Every structure is written in C-alpha cells, then in structure tokens.
Amino acid sequence: MDMAEKKTDGMSSRNDLPDASDLVIAAQDVSRGSSTAADMPPGDIEILRESDSTINSQQREYEYTDDDDGRYEEPHRSTGFWDPRMKTIRKEVVFLWARTLILLTIFIIGVLSLYWAVLFHISTNIRNLTVLVVDFDGQVAPYEGVTPLVGPAVTAAVQQMLDGSGTQRTLGFAPTPPDQFDYDPIAVRQAVYDFHCYAAVIVNANATALLQQAVATGNASYDPTGAVQFILLSARQETTYYNYITPQLDALTRLFAAQFGPSWTQSVMSNTSLSRDTLALAPAAVNPGVTPLTIDLRPFGPATATPSVTIGLIYLIIVAFFSFGFFLPIHMKFVIPAGHPSLHFWQLIVWRLVATITTYFFVSLAYSLVSLAFQIPFSNPPASPTDVAFNPTAYGRASFVVYWMVNFAGMNALGIACENMAMLIGQPWTAAWLIFWVITNVSTAFYSVDLAPGFFRWGYAWPLHHIVSASRQILFDLHSEIGLNFGVLFAWAAVNVTLFPFFCYLARWKMERESRTAQRGAESYSVYDAAAEGQKKSVAKEKGALPPVRKRGFMRGV
C-alpha cells in the first residue's frame, strides 16, 4: 500500500470518528529520535499536519447543541444563573427551596411551641400543686382541753393567702381534718411520700400547750420550731419545689409570723400573772414563739444526679437515634452481593432486631456507668418513708443494675421508634423527627405535667416520663411506681418491634421504586445474578420504560 492509500484510509477513519490517534503515533515517532520535522519522513509530516487540522476542527465542533444524544455537548461548561437555558431548572430549584422553607417554618412553629406551651399556664395551674394543711392542735389526747392558738393562726394565714389568690396565684392549699389521717401526723408525712400531695403543713397537737407551758415555767429549752412543720419531698421534682412550692411556703411563714408573733408577744407581756423573771428564762417562747420548720424527706442531691434525671437523658434519645445511621450500612452488607449471595430479607430483619437490641444493652450500660463514675450513690440502703434521708437508694447494692435495666428498656422504647420512623420518612426528614421526639419527651418528663395545660396529659404515656420517674425512684428511694414504668416502656418496645418488619419491607419497596425510576432513561437495567454468586449483570430494555417489578414471596427462602 502506498502513501496516498494510507492517507485516504486515514482520512476515512477520521471522518467516521474524530480522534488524535495519528497525532499520538507521530508524537511517539518524534520521541523515539526525531527531534524536528525535518527528521521525519514526508508521509508522517503530512499525517501530523492533517491530524492537527482535525483536532482544531473538533475544538470548533464542540459547541452546545440540542442533539438528543448530547454527543457534541462540551463537558464541564458552566453558565450564569440567568442564562435562558437555566430557566426550567431555576424554577424547579426555587419552588423546591420555597416549599421546604415553608414546611420547616410550619414545623418549627408547631413543634417548638410544645416546649413553650408546657409552661404557659403555670400561674393558673399552680393550684394543682396540692398542699395539705392539717391542724392537730388541741385535738389529740392529752391536749383536748387546751384552747388552741397556733393552729387557728396557721389556718387563718393560709386562708388569707387563698383569699388573695385573685391577684397572686397560690398553691393548692387544702385544709384537711385530722381524722382523715387517724389523728396521726406521721400519716400526713406518708401521704406526701406516696405522692398524694406535693407538700403538707402540720400543726402538732401540743403546739399551743407547749408554748403556754414554756412561758409559764420559763422553759429555756423550748424550741419554737417544734410546733409547725412544712413537709416536702424535693427529690420528686426539684425544679417544681424550688421555683413554686418553697417560695410560697416561705411567704406563708412570713405572713404567719407577722400576724401571730406580735399578737402572742402582746398577750404574754400584758398577762400580769406571768413573772418577768420567768419570761426572761424562755425568750424564744416570748418572741417569736412559733417558727415553722421545713422538713424535706428526700432532699435532692448530689448535684451530679441532675444529668441522670434531666438533661442527660436527652443524650439517651440522641444515641438511640444515631445508632440507626451508624449500623445500617454495616447491616446492608448482607444484602449487597460482593462475592457472596444476598441474605434472605426476613433473616436480615431478624439480624437487625437482635443486633439493635444487643447494641442498646451495651450502650445503656456505658450510659449508666457515667453516673457511677461520678460517684452518684448506688449502694446506700433504703430509708423509712417518713424520716429524712440523704441519698438513700431504693434497692441498696442492686440499685445500679435496676438503673441500668431502666435505661436499657428506655433505649428500646425510644430507639426502635426512631428506627421505624427513619425507614418511614427517610432523609432529610429524620432530623425533623428527632427534634419532635426530643421536644415531646422532654417537655413532659423534665417538667411537672400537673402544671402543664390539660393538652399535655398524653405525656404520662411517653417513654421519657417513665424513665425519669423510675430513675428518681431508684436514686432517691421515692414512692415506687417501677412496675408501671417498666410496663409502659415494654409496651412501647413491643409495639415498635411488631411494626419493625413492616417498615423494613416498606423501606425496601421505596428503595427499589427509586431505583426503577432512576433507570427509566437507560437502555438496560442491572440485576444481581444469583447463579454468578450475586454479580451484577445488565438486561436490555426499551429506553423510557421502567424496569420490571421484582416479584418475591413474603418469606421466600424459608
């Protein structure tokens, strides 16, 4: 074949599909020893020139065209925002952005309002914080014959606070006859401990008798704090006690002292039968005479217990939520063939459930160990419900194990619900679900539902409310509702475990539908070839048509 024929063949091939292969050949020849065009054979010089002109013409041909195959569209060419060719996509992006913004705005207003609303009616609902007022003064043997002075004064001060509740909301003071407690002040303490009320005001049966005896005999050992007692249980809900109950009891103390103190001192000093020398021996009996004593059956402490029953539990929700994102890619390796066949889907569901619950078992242990590491007492013995006790625990040395099991049951109740919702709504709305789940749980667990509007009564059924309740009972030896707490948490876990397989199949259906939609414009679709150990193979289809739906039995492979 002569040089002219070579040239003709070369031109024919370049007309079929422009390329620079001749240029590459010429360049290779130059690199082998021809440093200039003069050193090259005449035929190769001609090929080089024609190849160069071909490349230049191709550069001119790479202009934007509307060809369906896009063969001559220049890659990686960008354009301006207002380019006419961007009109369609610009409208689509702006529409999607505006729609998402509106949805987020509605979501923020709707969901975050729940957190604000839980405290919205505090001033009105503060009366739901019941405080029993029980006057035993002069009503129990051997003091029936004494004309009571202290008891009526306390009751009058309470009534004055209730009468002024129109301008300043007061606690739910409830004067109660002593016969409801069988004339036993200890029974009133038990009522506070058993959550029948938030606090109690007790006027002891000998309040007036001991006061009168002290001024009559000059009893120097008289204690003015022994007549009236305020019974609290602050570990039940310390923020409620510190913010609402204690301030009003302090106000009651000041009102009582302002009314009873001057009148009692005046009556004593005007009584000519009392010797001044005798009165000088008992100054506390003269003034103030009576000072209410606050008795907190279960003080809240230590300070490191705060995260264990409040803000730290938010992280229990977050950890349970993010375990889905951490472990799902690992689980999916079973169904993505890579030199191995795909696992039966129902067995994948079983594996995910077992792995998730096992994960919660160990993660809840790690969470519980943090409280133990910061020396929250977990081994103190229980105490009498009517005595003051600092840091008792409900189960002694077994308290930590029970605390761990509460967190474990709580993670199942909170976490499996997150798994189901993540499969139901998908990204990016799982973040919105997390915000909703945290706010609804926190607003009904960290604050007293008794102070919230009636709408929030559903909070009694929410998981975190029972985790907080059980944790407080364990850490502070409070009135036990541990059976109810575990029952609610197990019910949440059981419902979500039952729904879990259905959400798994729903997630797979959504994923396959998205995959089929994405392959609509292709001329083939990919499937896993079971005969080839799960390797992918391409199957031809008509362009624009959806790939066929994969048909499988619900429990195929059993």
Side-chain angles (χ1 to χ4, degrees):
M1 181 181 298
D2 58 16
M3 185 58 65
E5 292 175 345
K6 290 182 179 180
K7 178 179 177 180
T8 303
D9 293 341
M11 290 295 294
S12 175
S13 62
R14 285 191 295 273
N15 290 333
D16 294 338
L17 180 62
D19 60 47
S21 58
D22 293 334
L23 178 60
V24 174
I25 295 172
Q28 290 176 344
D29 291 339
V30 171
S31 63
R32 290 174 185 150
S34 299
S35 58
T36 63
D39 298 327
M40 298 176 59
D44 290 347
I45 295 176
E46 185 66 18
I47 293 174
L48 177 59
R49 291 173 178 171
E50 294 179 4
S51 299
D52 182 66
S53 62
T54 303
I55 296 299
N56 291 334
S57 64
Q58 288 302 314
Q59 290 177 347
R60 290 191 298 271
E61 288 177 2
Y62 269 71
E63 300 295 338
Y64 184 89
T65 64
D66 293 330
D67 294 346
D68 292 337
D69 56 5
R71 179 177 177 182
Y72 297 109
E73 182 178 353
E74 182 178 359
H76 310 301
R77 172 178 284 186
S78 60
T79 188
F81 184 80
W82 299 108
D83 191 297
R85 294 168 295 178
M86 299 290 289
K87 179 179 180 180
T88 302
I89 191 64
R90 187 168 58 239
K91 288 183 178 180
E92 179 181 355
V93 169
V94 171
F95 171 77
L96 293 175
W97 169 80
R99 185 185 67 178
T100 305
L101 177 60
I102 292 172
L103 291 175
L104 284 177
T105 302
I106 296 173
F107 173 82
I108 290 171
I109 293 175
V111 176
L112 294 187
S113 294
L114 294 174
Y115 191 77
W116 271 256
V118 76
L119 301 174
F120 186 62
H121 288 163
I122 289 288
S123 59
T124 302
N125 294 338
I126 196 172
R127 65 177 182 271
N128 294 335
L129 303 180
T130 305
V131 178
L132 300 179
V133 181
V134 188
D135 179 14
F136 294 96
D137 193 12
Q139 301 191 48
V140 179
Y143 306 105
E144 291 110 323
V146 177
T147 301
L149 299 176
V150 178
V154 171
T155 304
V158 169
Q159 189 60 48
Q160 184 174 342
M161 291 188 67
L162 291 175
D163 292 341
S165 61
T167 56
Q168 182 178 2
R169 302 292 183 177
T170 62
L171 299 170
F173 290 105
T176 307
D179 58 356
Q180 291 192 10
F181 300 97
D182 198 21
Y183 298 96
D184 183 7
I186 299 301
V188 181
R189 292 192 181 194
Q190 186 70 46
V192 176
Y193 180 84
D194 290 339
F195 299 169
H196 297 318
C197 58
Y198 276 87
V201 177
I202 300 176
V203 183
N204 289 324
N206 58 358
T208 300
L210 289 181
L211 180 61
Q212 292 176 339
Q213 182 184 18
V215 297
T217 63
N219 184 5
S221 63
Y222 173 77
D223 183 6
T225 62
V228 180
Q229 298 173 346
F230 295 161
I231 309 300
L232 308 179
L233 194 71
S234 64
R236 176 182 177 183
Q237 181 61 263
E238 68 282 357
T239 56
T240 300
Y241 280 87
Y242 298 157
N243 292 337
Y244 310 113
I245 297 177
T246 301
Q248 291 213 19
L249 291 179
D250 291 341
L252 177 61
T253 299
R254 292 191 297 269
L255 181 61
F256 169 77
Q259 294 180 347
F260 178 79
S263 63
W264 167 249
T265 302
Q266 182 181 3
S267 67
V268 170
M269 299 305 294
S270 63
N271 190 342
T272 58
S273 65
L274 297 175
S275 167
R276 296 295 182 269
D277 294 335
T278 302
L279 293 177
L281 296 175
V286 178
N287 187 24
V290 174
T291 300
L293 174 66
T294 299
I295 298 176
D296 193 346
L297 299 178
R298 294 293 185 272
F300 181 84
T304 51
T306 301
S308 300
V309 294
T310 54
I311 198 71
L313 288 168
I314 294 178
Y315 303 110
L316 195 70
I317 304 176
I318 294 174
V319 170
F321 172 82
F322 280 106
S323 67
F324 173 81
F326 279 116
F327 291 101
L328 183 62
I330 299 175
H331 300 324
M332 294 307 292
K333 289 182 177 294
F334 278 123
V335 294
I336 300 177
H340 61 82
S342 177
L343 182 68
H344 295 311
F345 195 72
W346 70 271
Q347 291 183 350
L348 175 67
I349 295 174
V350 174
W351 160 255
R352 281 187 59 189
L353 268 177
V354 172
T356 298
I357 294 174
T358 304
T359 298
Y360 293 159
F361 183 79
F362 289 103
V363 172
S364 62
L365 173 61
Y367 174 86
S368 304
L369 286 174
V370 174
S371 296
L372 184 64
F374 284 90
Q375 300 181 2
I376 295 177
F378 280 104
S379 58
N380 294 344
S384 169
T386 56
D387 292 336
V388 176
F390 294 90
N391 302 127
T393 60
Y395 307 103
R397 295 184 180 277
S399 296
F400 177 78
V401 177
V402 181
Y403 176 71
W404 171 22
M405 290 299 101
V406 168
N407 291 327
F408 171 57
M411 285 198 75
N412 280 278
L414 295 165
I416 301 178
C418 291
E419 297 252 349
N420 287 339
M421 292 304 299
M423 291 185 289
L424 175 63
I425 61 179
Q427 293 291 349
W429 301 108
T430 51
W433 157 257
L434 177 61
I435 296 174
F436 167 82
W437 197 225
V438 169
I439 287 179
T440 55
N441 276 280
V442 166
S443 60
T444 55
F446 295 173
Y447 303 100
S448 175
V449 181
D450 292 328
L451 292 175
F455 166 78
F456 287 91
R457 291 297 181 266
W458 49 263
Y460 287 117
W462 243 232
L464 196 64
H465 178 86
H466 291 274
I467 298 174
V468 171
S469 177
S471 299
R472 289 182 180 275
Q473 186 262 326
I474 296 166
L475 295 177
F476 307 118
D477 188 27
L478 299 180
H479 173 64
S480 178
E481 295 179 339
I482 197 74
L484 174 65
N485 302 143
F486 271 115
V488 172
L489 295 177
F490 285 145
W492 272 94
V495 170
N496 281 294
V497 167
T498 303
L499 295 175
F500 186 80
F502 298 99
F503 284 112
C504 287
Y505 277 97
L506 175 64
R508 185 179 67 171
W509 173 80
K510 289 169 61 178
M511 182 175 64
E512 291 183 352
R513 185 184 65 172
E514 292 173 0
S515 176
R516 294 177 64 238
T517 302
Q519 294 177 357
R520 178 191 293 270
E523 296 180 351
S524 63
Y525 62 94
S526 299
V527 295
Y528 290 107
D529 188 0
E533 294 296 324
Q535 299 300 318
K536 277 188 176 182
K537 69 175 183 180
S538 295
V539 180
K541 71 173 185 64
E542 183 180 350
K543 186 176 180 180
L546 288 173
V549 178
R550 294 182 61 188
K551 296 182 180 180
R552 53 169 71 84
F554 182 72
M555 295 286 283
R556 182 180 180 183
V558 175

